[in-house]
Amino acid sequence: MERLFQQYIEARKACHLPTGNITPDLISSAIEKQKPILAEKYHCQQVEFKVVIEDGKPKIKARPNCSRHECRLRPPPAEGRHDRLRINCERCSHRHSPLPFTPGDPLANAYLKACLLADEELAARVTITLRDFFVSDPAATCITEILATEPDAVGFSVYLWNRQACIDTARQLKDAKPDLTIFAGGPEPTAAPERMLAEFPFDFLVMGEGEHTFIEAMDTLWKGKPVRGVKGVAALYEGNLVYRPRPLVPFLDTLPSPYLSGMLDVEQGGGALWQLSRGCSFGCDFCFDYQGAEGVRRFGMERIREELDWFVQHRVAQVFVLDSTFNRDLLLAKEVLRLIKRRAPHIHFHFEVRSEFIDAELARLCSTITCSSRSAFKAPILRS
Ligand code: SF4
């Protein structure tokens, strides 16, 4: 309270307003009167206060302290009541993508949506909207679009390149709508959860591989319960990080395909991201592909064939293959190349390969399709 009082006095001074009649008791009693009203409004037992200056005037603003205390997103729905939870999942990408094309599909978020909608019970209770922004879009524009759907929760897919844009948007969203639940997933939150939660306005984080954690977290939000405690969710509780890891999805084919389930619509002649595997067996210290997922899990050939046919049917022109070491399993890589040669020799594929595993047959197969590649090689210096 003392700190809040000092901040308020400083803010009044900055606005050239008198401070003589302001006392700590005055501030304290005003806040005590507001607490029950705000707790009712936000369905939250704990509300925190901060001083802001708006339109040249100092104000004390309240926000629910959701992730740190026993509080709820909203009251649990009455029995038999099926009000829908509205979720937005945001991706910010670069207008000038380092990929050979600007992918039109927020693939990670589409995996989440496909997985959630495959759960019939949850699909009936949750509306999920995917949104795609550029990092150069002003936060105010993003916020207007996001709030237009009146979401209950907003999630951000946070990477190195869009971190600041996501944080700026999340901060302004929280200021505009303090009772909104804001969460994040992706490499950045997974790598540094404590900092993400302590310094930025995320109520919780979906750590690592997100599909199953996301479904359970959304179900928990719909029931009006705290998501802290859901496996794979990281949150702060009384200043401490709470996190129980969730095992990886053992068989990737159990995850619905975002393409085959209609979550993504690639425009004719556009580009698509195509995930063939998750993880990596090389374990370079700096790389997220390896973190927490030693070894490689691959999608099966039937799924690969069906998605490839989908690209052909939807006249996709370019495909960036998400398989960090495509040719680590040479037999499988050759099988995929033969499949492409038979079904989609006209589509341009971009692979990431390890140069030490390229043999003459692989090189010859590559020459029979339309493709480019980026190669890495074995370098002991990469490993500490
Ligand atoms: S080989 Fe590549 S994908 Fe695998 S851990 Fe190293 S940098 Fe990451």
Side-chain angles (χ1 to χ4, degrees), residues 180-229:
L180 189 65
T181 294
I182 301 184
F183 62 98
E188 288 287 297
T190 304
E194 268 181 295
R195 177 149 189 241
M196 280 305 233
L197 289 164
E199 295 182 21
F200 308 120
F202 298 115
D203 295 304
F204 67 89
L205 306 175
V206 174
M207 302 279 282
E209 194 168 54
E211 286 90 352
H212 291 171
T213 303
F214 176 72
I215 290 180
E216 198 178 328
M218 294 307 109
D219 186 42
T220 307
L221 282 183
W222 185 82
K223 289 172 180 159
K225 295 180 180 170
V227 295
R228 169 175 44 76

Side-chain angles (χ1 to χ4, degrees), residues 317-334:
Q318 301 189 57
V319 172
F320 191 98
V321 178
L322 298 171
D323 185 337
S324 304
T325 51
F326 172 69
N327 61 333
R328 178 69 184 88
D329 183 334
L330 255 183
L331 286 179
L332 198 64
K334 289 172 184 175

Side-chain angles (χ1 to χ4, degrees), residues 44 46 48 63-69 71-73 152-156 170-171 173-174 177-185 193 196-206 217-218 221 226-229 233-237 240-242:
C44 182
Q46 297 288 336
E48 65 184 16
R63 57 173 263 181
N65 199 358
C66 288
S67 60
R68 297 162 176 81
H69 298 278
C71 60
R72 289 175 165 162
L73 168 72
D152 298 298
V154 177
F156 291 85
R171 273 202 179 116
L173 265 180
K174 203 66 163 177
K177 205 165 179 291
D179 57 340
L180 189 65
T181 294
I182 301 184
F183 62 98
M196 280 305 233
L197 289 164
E199 295 182 21
F200 308 120
F202 298 115
D203 295 304
F204 67 89
L205 306 175
V206 174
M218 294 307 109
L221 282 183
V227 295
R228 169 175 44 76
V233 161
L236 289 182
Y237 181 62
N240 298 315
L241 183 72
V242 180

Side-chain angles (χ1 to χ4, degrees), residues 279-290 324-325 354 376 382:
C280 180
S281 48
F282 287 93
C284 305
D285 286 342
F286 56 84
C287 178
F288 185 77
D289 264 9
Y290 168 73
S324 304
T325 51
R354 296 281 302 204
L382 295 179

